[in-house]
Structures are given as C-alpha cells and as structure tokens.
Amino acid sequence: MDFVTLLRRDHEKLSSIFQNIQRGFDQADTPERHQLFRQLKRELELHTAVEDLQVYRVFQQSESTHDDAHEALEAHGKINTLLDQLEISPAYDHKWVAQFQELQKLVEAHVMAEENEMFRKTRQ
C-alpha cells in the first residue's frame, strides 16, 4: 500500500471523528464527546507530524509541489493552534462550537487540496 492510500484512509478516519463530535451539538455535553475531541486532537497531531516529517519534506524538494507543501505546512500550524485553543476553552459553549467548525473547515480544505492537487502531482 502506498503513502497516498494510507493518508486517504487517515483523512476518512478524521472525517468520521469530526462528524461524531458535531452530531452531539444539539444535545447536552457528554464525557464521550470530550473523549472524541481528545481522540481527534491526538489523531490530527500525529497526522500533521507524519506529513510534516515524511511527506512535505519530500514535496518541498520538487518544483511541482514546493508551493503546495509550503501552504500545507502553514495549514498544519493553524490546525495545531486551533486544537490547542479548543483544548483549553470551555467545551461546547457557542464560542467552542464556532472554533470547532472553523477547525473542521480548515481540515476539510486542507484534505481537498492534498487529495485533489498535491497527491495527483506525485502520480504524474
């Protein structure tokens, strides 16, 4: 199995966790949702670290993916900042939900850019 397939599977796993957290926004806070957020944070931190060290380091050396890799590294910085802010904020108040939705949009845009642009360039 190649790295693109592994990263796509990881993207699907992250999407599922996001959906599970968001499903509960119309209900009272639960320990399960806190657990899901901790899992999401761990998964995203591991995912970004692996990409930073193993994927983008290589992509930065290629002229066709250099700019994409730079943008992806910036997105990872924003993702990690939002994760840290969410971790210390009171969970599931209106501000937390808005920040969580911002994180989700950022991650979804990042995934789309990887899968629809960067990964395709590696196969050409």
Side-chain angles (χ1 to χ4, degrees), residues 37 41 75-89 96 98-107:
F37 177 75
K41 186 173 187 299
H76 282 181
K78 291 176 186 176
I79 288 167
N80 288 327
T81 297
L82 278 170
L83 284 169
D84 291 342
Q85 290 171 353
L86 285 164
E87 185 175 45
I88 62 172
S89 296
W96 194 95
Q99 283 184 307
F100 177 84
Q101 290 169 332
E102 179 183 349
L103 173 67
Q104 185 173 11
K105 286 178 186 175
L106 180 60
V107 169

Side-chain angles (χ1 to χ4, degrees), residues 57-115:
R57 188 174 286 174
V58 173
F59 283 2
Q60 285 180 314
Q61 296 173 18
S62 170
E63 190 174 318
S64 67
T65 55
H66 180 270
D67 292 341
D68 295 326
H70 179 72
E71 289 176 19
L73 289 167
E74 285 181 2
H76 282 181
K78 291 176 186 176
I79 288 167
N80 288 327
T81 297
L82 278 170
L83 284 169
D84 291 342
Q85 290 171 353
L86 285 164
E87 185 175 45
I88 62 172
S89 296
Y92 305 107
D93 67 3
H94 70 283
K95 185 177 177 182
W96 194 95
V97 170
Q99 283 184 307
F100 177 84
Q101 290 169 332
E102 179 183 349
L103 173 67
Q104 185 173 11
K105 286 178 186 175
L106 180 60
V107 169
E108 288 172 352
H110 174 69
V111 165
M112 293 296 290
E114 278 183 348
E115 292 187 4

